[in-house]
Amino acid sequence: MARHAFFCLDGHTCGNPVRLVAGGGPLLNGATMLERRAHFLAEFDWIRTGLMFEPRGHDMMSGSILYPPTRDDCDIAVLYIETSGCLPMCGHGTIGTVTMALEHGLVRPKTPGRLMLDTPAGPVAIEYREEGGYIEEVRLTNVPAYLHAEAIAVDHSALGRLTVDVAYGGNFYAIVDPQENFRDIADFSALQLVEMSASLRAALNAQSEFVHPLHPEIKGLSHILWTGEPRAEGAHARNAVFYGDKAIDRSPCGTGTSARMAQWAAKGRLKPGDDFVHESIIGSLFKGQVEKAVEIAGRPAIVPSVAGWARLTGLNTIFIDDRDPFAHGFQVV
């Protein structure tokens, strides 16, 4: 029997939580972050569930653990943890992690204003703006994003026939654009979107396979991106992203913004150099940009960047006590 202690920095990125585990994370084996992610899931997933699920977390909780990089060209490695598992990449989690890590001296960049992250999805370049000891903005240049499939038809129990595109921006997203049976996220509450999303995701995964062409370990549709007309000045689009079992992203979603830019680029609505400002369900904004056009295994793709801000909300020492019957967390689904 033991009591395990984890020192965490808690914060949020544009409204969505980030719990950075600064102490107590396990040593992991693996030559790459994908291999380390697999080791964590095989032996230490109780840490994720203990820190992300109730009673220490909640349905929207996301987090990260810092590690030495596996690549010579990176400054630090990041393992992403959240209620749905260990994502290959997390945009809002990256912005929050970088902000809190820099402000509290957990990482020292070789070049001020720049960092290279080693993530399970691949290397992610960071540029940040510091003012008075605080990080005011972080821009991540993400892994390549692409439109994976177009116009997938699926029967939804509540909405009827839907057609979705699926795009990859570090995770796979089903993008629900306006159509006969869906007009705008403004027509639904967050609770209704959650209820509609779980069955839609299950139906799509049951009828199709979603596998990254270069990294077969990255597979499965994990997120649903519901779209809407923007309300904030300067925004190009509004969205609500479903993830986990009951979560709607309060931020505009970084990998979701990357996926949506890839979708728009594939349809000719964006080109290299274009900006894309994405609005969240609570009105916060991410500033996206198409950095350049590339290919993934012969498929047209883009390199997207996404900028946003984060704030520290507190320091938190969390105990997972083996004597606790809820040591590894629980969900009320």
Side-chain angles (χ1 to χ4, degrees):
M1 305 296 286
R3 186 174 71 175
H4 310 273
F6 301 88
F7 178 67
C8 304
L9 284 70
D10 281 355
H12 72 91
T13 300
C14 291
N16 215 50
V18 181
R19 173 167 285 167
L20 170 57
V21 181
L27 296 176
L28 297 177
N29 299 324
T32 67
M33 281 307 295
L34 268 176
E35 292 181 3
R36 288 182 181 177
R37 172 176 174 259
H39 181 206
F40 181 90
L41 287 169
E43 294 191 30
F44 301 105
D45 200 44
W46 61 269
I47 295 175
R48 178 188 67 85
T49 59
L51 294 178
M52 298 291 104
F53 291 169
E54 295 183 67
R56 300 163 197 85
H58 52 74
D59 292 327
M60 270 62 66
M61 184 59 76
S62 294
S64 61
I65 308 175
L66 298 178
Y67 286 97
T70 65
R71 302 169 53 104
D72 292 337
D73 59 351
C74 290
D75 298 289
I76 198 160
V78 183
L79 178 75
Y80 300 102
I81 57 175
E82 65 163 46
T83 53
S84 66
C86 291
L87 296 178
M89 173 57 189
C90 180
H92 97 274
T94 295
I95 293 169
T97 295
V98 168
T99 296
M100 293 187 287
L102 287 170
E103 289 183 352
H104 289 266
L106 301 180
V107 59
R108 301 284 185 185
K110 298 172 186 174
T111 303
R114 296 178 181 272
L115 273 176
M116 282 296 297
L117 303 185
D118 183 7
T119 82
V124 172
I126 299 294
E127 295 182 350
Y128 63 89
R129 176 166 53 86
E130 183 175 2
E131 296 179 9
Y134 294 101
I135 306 303
E136 295 297 343
E137 184 179 76
V138 172
R139 178 173 291 275
L140 64 95
T141 298
N142 203 358
V143 297
Y146 72 99
L147 181 60
H148 182 83
E150 288 188 83
I152 300 177
V154 60
D155 290 318
H156 188 269
S157 57
L159 296 176
R161 192 75 161 177
L162 291 176
T163 301
V164 304
D165 291 345
V166 173
Y168 176 82
N171 305 288
F172 283 107
Y173 286 79
I175 302 173
V176 189
D177 282 311
Q179 54 195 279
E180 182 180 356
N181 293 327
F182 174 78
R183 188 190 70 89
D184 193 294
I185 60 172
D187 297 336
F188 302 94
S189 68
L191 178 59
Q192 289 173 313
L193 292 172
V194 167
E195 292 172 343
M196 296 190 304
S197 296
S199 59
L200 177 58
R201 181 175 62 187
L204 287 165
N205 278 314
Q207 72 180 47
S208 303
E209 286 191 345
F210 306 98
V211 182
H212 194 282
L214 298 180
H215 304 293
E217 306 94 331
I218 301 175
K219 58 186 177 181
L221 177 70
S222 51
H223 295 65
I224 306 292
L225 193 157
W226 302 90
T227 67
E229 286 296 313
R231 295 176 173 178
E233 183 179 354
H236 296 97
R238 186 168 178 248
N239 84 112
V241 165
F242 168 81
Y243 65 96
D245 290 316
K246 293 194 295 183
I248 292 292
D249 200 328
R250 275 61 173 153
S251 83
C253 188
T255 55
T257 298
S258 298
R260 194 145 191 221
M261 284 194 287
Q263 179 207 28
W264 278 29
K267 294 176 181 291
R269 299 181 65 181
L270 288 174
K271 62 183 185 300
D274 284 349
D275 295 330
F276 178 77
V277 179
H278 217 186
E279 180 182 355
S280 76
I281 195 170
I282 65 169
S284 55
L285 302 176
F286 278 167
K287 295 182 289 185
Q289 186 172 61
V290 179
E291 297 295 333
K292 61 181 179 179
V294 293
E295 287 189 353
I296 297 178
R299 297 173 179 256
I302 64 165
V303 173
S305 69
V306 179
W309 54 267
R311 296 291 184 269
L312 177 75
T313 57
L315 305 179
N316 196 356
T317 300
I318 299 175
F319 298 107
I320 298 180
D321 192 329
D322 290 343
R323 297 173 302 134
D324 183 350
F326 301 120
H328 298 169
F330 62 86
Q331 288 182 291
V332 180
V333 179

